Amino acid sequence: MLSEILKKETEPMIEAIYSDAFIQGLIRGDIDDAAVAHYLRADSLYLDEFAKLYALLMSKTESKETVRFLMGQMAFLLDGESEAHEVLAHAINRSYEDIIKDGEWYPSADHYIKHMYFNAYTREDIAYAISAMAPCPYVYRRVAQMALERHTFDTDHPYRRWFEFYANDMNDTIDVMFGIMDDAAAHMTEKEVGILRKNYLESTEHERRFFNMAATKERWKGADMND
Ligand SMILES: Cc1ncc(CO)c(N)n1
């Protein structure tokens, strides 16, 4: 099955994400507060766009079951995931609303978001957009599993609940997204399946760039673009 192949193929990429500065900083608990704030500013906007992508895909599918899934995911995004963000805001002792009020699509986030929109707008079958969106929950669950398997977090560890959230709350999303991809791949040509695979691999790389964007507090370089 395509999703099983992709899980195996991306495992080394996820190990690299796990070993990069942002996740290691969360595990040690000594990550730079400004990097966490940068991540939250970018991620709050990213999740807003993820919710809009679900709405876009809802308008493109004939399947009532898929519409139901997409609606549920929008609700989860708009309410549920903020718990993970609140953990990070609390850890750096700042109000979440205050942190995210002046966010923007920093370069790596911008590229990732547009990769998903490109597939949603230019492809009829929603499986193409889903293949670009599926690494989002999968990478986070896998990174969180690795951290919880390899480390014992004290109850008062500032980021323990962030890892626990992503290790436990992504299963339904992942199962449905992989189901949509695998069902579509079963009726596609080799070339079309290759596009699903490339979308998925690129988004896994986008996940790595997104964390590194936060760790480096990446901004647009144009002089008049940071005012
Ligand atoms: C960039 C990004 N990828 C994945 C997740 C998990 O939902 C997230 N919150 N942000």
Side-chain angles (χ1 to χ4, degrees):
M1 265 206 291
L2 178 60
S3 58
E4 287 310 311
I5 292 166
L6 292 174
K7 284 180 191 176
K8 288 189 186 61
E9 193 172 4
T10 54
E11 187 71 358
M13 296 166 80
I14 301 175
E15 281 287 359
I17 293 169
Y18 179 82
S19 305
D20 280 344
F22 192 87
I23 298 298
Q24 290 303 308
L26 290 184
I27 290 170
R28 289 193 310 268
D30 65 5
I31 187 169
D32 171 14
D33 287 5
V36 173
H38 196 83
Y39 169 87
L40 286 172
R41 275 196 287 278
D43 207 48
S44 61
L45 294 175
Y46 169 90
L47 292 179
D48 289 348
E49 296 310 322
F50 218 83
K52 290 176 198 163
L53 279 157
Y54 280 137
L56 193 55
L57 299 185
M58 224 183 275
S59 68
K60 293 164 71 96
T61 179
E62 296 305 318
S63 152
K64 289 252 184 307
E65 188 191 351
T66 303
V67 170
R68 234 173 260 115
F69 162 72
L70 293 168
M71 277 178 66
Q73 289 305 305
M74 281 179 74
F76 172 71
L77 265 192
L78 295 173
D79 306 330
E81 192 144 355
S82 56
E83 179 190 332
H85 280 190
E86 286 298 342
V87 170
L88 298 184
H90 179 71
I92 63 171
N93 199 24
R94 286 186 56 188
S95 109
Y96 179 63
E97 291 314 320
D98 182 54
I99 293 169
I100 66 168
K101 66 179 185 309
D102 51 2
E104 63 170 325
W105 294 9
Y106 305 123
S108 296
D110 180 277
H111 190 181
Y112 190 178
I113 291 166
K114 288 171 181 171
H115 170 56
M116 295 185 287
Y117 271 115
F118 173 82
N119 279 279
Y121 278 117
T122 64
R123 305 269 184 200
E124 204 37 54
D125 188 332
I126 70 164
Y128 291 101
I130 292 291
S131 65
M133 296 168 76
C136 166
Y138 182 75
V139 165
Y140 272 53
R141 183 179 73 179
R142 190 74 196 96
V143 164
Q145 287 169 341
M146 288 174 176
L148 294 170
E149 283 157 10
R150 302 173 188 181
H151 297 273
T152 305
F153 290 89
D154 294 340
T155 43
D156 63 348
H157 186 292
Y159 299 109
R160 175 177 54 79
R161 280 181 42 239
W162 189 86
F163 288 108
E164 287 171 348
F165 177 86
Y166 285 112
N168 304 322
D169 289 22
M170 296 283 115
N171 297 343
D172 293 349
T173 306
I174 292 165
D175 293 348
V176 177
M177 283 190 168
F178 281 171
I180 291 169
M181 275 171 52
D182 290 337
D183 290 350
H187 307 98
M188 284 183 168
T189 64
E190 203 174 313
K191 183 167 182 282
E192 290 167 333
V193 173
I195 296 169
L196 296 182
R197 171 177 171 272
K198 190 166 186 298
N199 279 343
Y200 189 94
L201 296 180
E202 286 180 4
S203 287
T204 303
E205 174 72 22
H206 282 308
E207 288 292 346
R208 183 174 192 190
R209 290 175 177 210
F210 197 102
F211 283 124
N212 287 334
M213 166 198 73
T216 60
K217 300 184 273 297
E218 181 193 73
R219 301 295 297 268
W220 290 99
K221 291 287 179 280
D224 62 346
M225 292 174 81
N226 287 333
D227 51 18

